[in-house]
Amino acid sequence: AQTVTQSQPEMSVQEAETVTLSCTYDTSENNYYLFWYKQPPSRQMILVIRQEAYKQQNATENRFSVNFQKAAKSFSLKISDSQLGDTAMYFCACGNSGGSNYKLTFGKGTLLTVNP
Amino acid sequence: EAGVVQSPRYKIIEKKQPVAFWCNPISGHNTLYWYLQNLGQGPELLIRYENEEAVDDSQLPKDRFSAERLKGVDSTLKIQPAELGDSAVYLCASSPGGPGRSYEQYFGPGTRLTVT
């Protein structure tokens, strides 16, 4: 069984500033992936960034980067140069790779508001 | 490329009535997921299909929920009879599956169900 915990229900940041969203997880799998998804108000969920657990290098996608601490089972998301369009719910998720039992387990989400 | 299509987007019904949701995945995606998202929560998997086979339905409340994907393309999720606690967003996602891609999930806009 997998669990994902997001301890920050809400966060806010000023436009152009940097913000970090926290996530911890627990899994018994050796091979797994970690994800951050963004769900804007009344819009569909989209993938922001993913990290393969076997890779030590932290993933980066433009203004989005992660801090993956495997031993601590921590997977935080850093958003640099925050933009108004970044306002959304952010969900951390863990998924085991391959096999027939693949599925994502999501955290409860963090509502991020970017203020002008 | 068209995304995951879901209909209806919104549905309001009275308790004890039946309701059905439809999902058309991205063309070529063999894996299809139905998720339940309660207000302020992350999505929870209800059922996963590989082509027309339901390979993981352990979280589907089978006394009132049913799903089908007869030709391995589009899918229908049904609730009969609906209860007040079924009010939520029902998300459909699809994945191309296969080596190295099974973690990719693309979400539809969801169907927001309100049971009165």
Side-chain angles (χ1 to χ4, degrees):
Chain A
Q2 298 171 150
T3 60
V4 177
T5 302
Q6 294 180 249
S7 59
Q8 305 152 315
E10 296 185 32
M11 292 194 71
S12 62
V13 64
Q14 293 299 122
E15 195 175 7
E17 298 294 310
T18 295
V19 64
T20 298
L21 308 183
S22 301
C23 173
T24 58
Y25 65 93
D26 194 14
T27 179
S28 57
E29 300 290 332
N30 291 321
N31 298 315
Y32 56 92
Y33 289 82
L34 297 164
F35 308 86
W36 280 98
Y37 279 86
K38 169 185 177 181
Q39 189 175 41
S42 300
R43 295 181 62 185
Q44 64 200 79
M45 192 172 300
I46 58 174
L47 179 64
V48 174
I49 196 166
R50 67 174 182 265
Q51 174 82 41
E52 292 91 333
Y54 63 87
K55 290 188 177 179
Q56 293 184 338
Q57 185 174 5
N58 289 324
T60 299
E61 288 288 342
N62 300 314
R63 298 182 295 108
F64 299 87
S65 61
V66 299
N67 183 5
F68 175 43
Q69 300 292 326
K70 191 171 183 178
K73 294 184 177 179
S74 171
F75 183 63
S76 61
L77 174 69
K78 185 172 80 171
I79 306 175
S80 303
D81 186 25
S82 297
Q83 301 176 359
L84 297 178
D86 294 334
T87 292
M89 281 291 288
Y90 286 81
F91 292 97
C92 179
C94 179
N96 57 292
S97 62
S100 61
N101 293 321
Y102 182 81
K103 68 178 182 181
L104 294 179
T105 300
F106 289 84
K108 292 186 176 182
T110 296
L111 177 60
L112 176 67
T113 302
V114 180
N115 299 308
Chain B
E1 180 184 73
V4 177
V5 178
Q6 289 188 249
S7 68
R9 292 294 310 278
Y10 305 91
K11 188 73 175 180
I12 301 174
I13 61 171
E14 294 183 346
K15 63 181 180 181
K16 299 184 182 180
Q17 294 301 307
V19 65
F21 315 123
W22 178 79
C23 171
N24 193 22
I26 294 173
S27 177
H29 283 196
N30 297 326
T31 306
L32 183 146
Y33 306 80
W34 283 103
Y35 288 92
L36 166 69
Q37 186 177 21
N38 286 306
L39 184 65
Q41 304 289 320
E44 299 175 25
L45 180 69
L46 288 173
I47 190 169
R48 177 169 71 96
Y49 282 93
E50 295 288 347
N51 298 304
E52 66 274 9
E53 182 183 1
V55 296
D56 185 355
D57 62 355
S58 58
Q59 301 301 313
L60 188 73
K62 299 181 181 64
D63 56 336
R64 297 184 299 108
F65 286 66
S66 64
E68 60 183 15
R69 193 185 185 200
L70 293 177
K71 296 183 179 179
V73 182
D74 57 344
S75 176
T76 302
L77 178 68
K78 298 178 181 178
I79 308 175
Q80 182 171 10
E83 298 178 352
L84 294 176
D86 296 331
S87 295
V89 176
Y90 292 81
L91 297 171
C92 179
S94 71
S95 170
R101 299 196 68 189
S102 59
Y103 58 79
E104 296 181 19
Q105 292 192 25
Y106 299 85
F107 285 81
T111 296
R112 182 177 296 277
L113 174 67
T114 301
V115 182
T116 63

